[in-house]
Structures are given as C-alpha cells and as structure tokens.
Amino acid sequence: MSRHLMRFAAAAIALGLALPAVAATAPAARVTLEQALATYERGDLPAAERQFRLLSQQGLALGDYNLAMMHLRSEVPKPDPRFARSLLVRAAGRGLVRAELALGQFHEQGEDGRPDLVQAQSWYLKAAEHGSVDAQVAVATAFYLGRGAAKDFAQAAQWYREAAKGGDVGAQYLIASMYESGLGVERDLRLARYWYDIAARNGDEAAPYKLKAVDDALAADAGTV
C-alpha cells in the first residue's frame, strides 16, 4: 500500500483553460482573465504579471491565485512567497477552493522557509470540505499516517471514501484495502470487492490481484455456511 499512501498533490496547480488567441496588447483597463491567461500561455510573463496584478486589484480571486502561482514558480523578477501566501489567503477568502488547496501545498512544502504540516492539514481540510478530491486524499493520508494530524483511521477511511467517490484511483484502492482489513471501518469483503473492482477498471495495476484474492475469500466464506 505504500506507493498509494504517498500521493500528496504536486507543488503547484497548472493554469487551466484552453483559450482563443487574443491581441497581444490589450489595454490594461480592459483586461480580462481570458486575456491574461492567454498572455501567460504565450510566454509573455512580464505582461501576464501586470495583467494578473490588475485583476487582483480589481478583486478577482483568480487574479490573486494566478499572480500568487507566478511568484511560487519564480516567474517574476523578485519572487516573494509571503506575498504569494497573502494572495492565496485572500483568494481563499473569496471562495476559491483551489486557493485553499494551494495553501495546503504551500505549508506542506515549506514555501516560506519551513514545512508546517498542521497548517497544511488545516487548509487541506477546508478544501476537502469544499469538494477538492486532491485535498480529500491529502487529508486522508495525513490521518492515516499521523502526519500533521493525530492518527485516526476512521477519519482516513471517511476521506479516502469521499475521494474514491470523486474518482481518485489511489483512494479507491486504499478504501478497498481498509474494508478488506477492517482498518478504520467494519470489515466488509463485499465493499472491498466493490472498490477494488472500480480501482481495477480505472487502471490500478495492483487492484486486479486484490480483486481475485477477495473473490477467493468470499468463495471460501460461502463454502463454510
């Protein structure tokens, strides 16, 4: 199970959206998020920084977020992790779930000098409660390992199950394993089989072998009735 447990989210979230091309020199006062993202995708980082900064000043949470990520990726002349953190906090306050997730990653990786796993778990939990599957995996793993939170297998199972419902393959395997062994949940081979089957269908390489083992155990149990 170890390769599944250490599936914390990567250092930064990629900027999204497939965008149409726009004019290279849109007036600053009329810049939109789509224009700023297109400027970034073109590789004009100085202009993208200016445009994201303007959007941030206009109160757009994604302006805060993308400007913060440019600082964390060292894509600006003077990267400032603490400034990035303040932008992410403001974006999170404006309801941006990906900013909550990014703050968890920020503290986990010690972007401002040293890791703070307790703070990381606090932000991951906020994002998990707001539906982020990546955050749900991070929260579950913290509870499973006792890393940034007290070890709590029941909580780990709860959050792996939520992430599994959200389509995370590693979480599907792990909640199956917890049902198989009765770790944090009541042992239930049928539920273990259910989740191993889903994980196998979604491409987990170990799941088909576990599925066969659970099928054998269920058949043996049926033969003793």
Side-chain angles (χ1 to χ4, degrees):
M1 286 173 38
S2 60
R3 71 184 181 85
H4 293 279
L5 290 176
M6 302 312 294
R7 298 186 64 260
F8 284 104
I13 303 168
L15 292 169
L17 303 186
L19 299 168
V22 296
T25 56
R30 292 166 41 211
V31 70
T32 65
L33 177 63
E34 288 75 16
Q35 288 172 323
L37 287 168
T39 301
Y40 179 89
E41 293 296 334
R42 261 198 329 272
D44 187 351
L45 299 183
E49 180 191 8
R50 291 193 298 272
Q51 291 173 341
F52 286 136
R53 186 180 296 274
L54 179 60
L55 292 169
S56 173
Q57 292 168 350
Q58 292 173 348
L60 187 68
L62 282 169
D64 291 333
Y65 173 81
N66 288 315
L67 181 58
M69 298 313 291
M70 289 190 73
H71 276 266
L72 293 177
R73 295 187 185 115
S74 298
E75 293 173 337
V76 298
K78 295 181 179 180
D80 186 341
R82 293 187 179 184
F83 178 57
R85 179 184 180 279
S86 70
L87 289 169
L88 290 173
V89 170
R90 186 164 66 184
R94 289 168 171 167
L96 190 65
V97 178
R98 72 175 68 178
E100 296 172 340
L101 175 62
L103 281 161
Q105 295 164 346
F106 180 98
H107 288 291
E108 182 187 350
Q109 294 151 18
E111 294 283 1
D112 60 350
R114 61 181 181 83
D116 186 336
L117 298 181
V118 174
Q119 277 291 327
Q121 177 73 342
S122 174
W123 283 108
Y124 282 141
L125 188 56
K126 290 177 187 292
E129 289 170 344
H130 293 146
S132 168
V133 173
D134 287 338
Q136 289 165 355
V137 172
V139 166
T141 304
F143 281 125
Y144 194 105
L145 297 173
R147 189 171 181 266
K151 188 174 286 190
D152 187 329
F153 293 127
Q155 286 281 345
Q158 174 189 333
W159 288 110
Y160 279 136
R161 187 165 47 245
E162 288 302 309
K165 291 175 184 176
D168 187 274
V169 180
Q172 291 165 355
Y173 181 96
L174 283 165
I175 191 60
S177 177
M178 294 180 86
Y179 276 120
E180 181 185 10
S181 63
L183 184 62
V185 292
E186 184 176 350
R187 187 170 186 263
D188 189 325
L189 290 181
R190 294 189 181 279
L191 281 173
R193 189 195 189 287
Y194 172 82
W195 284 113
Y196 279 137
D197 183 51
I198 291 177
R201 291 172 185 270
N202 287 330
D204 187 280
E205 294 179 358
Y209 302 99
K210 297 295 292 183
L211 184 60
K212 183 179 184 306
V214 170
D215 280 341
D216 290 346
L218 285 167
D221 287 349
T224 61
V225 175

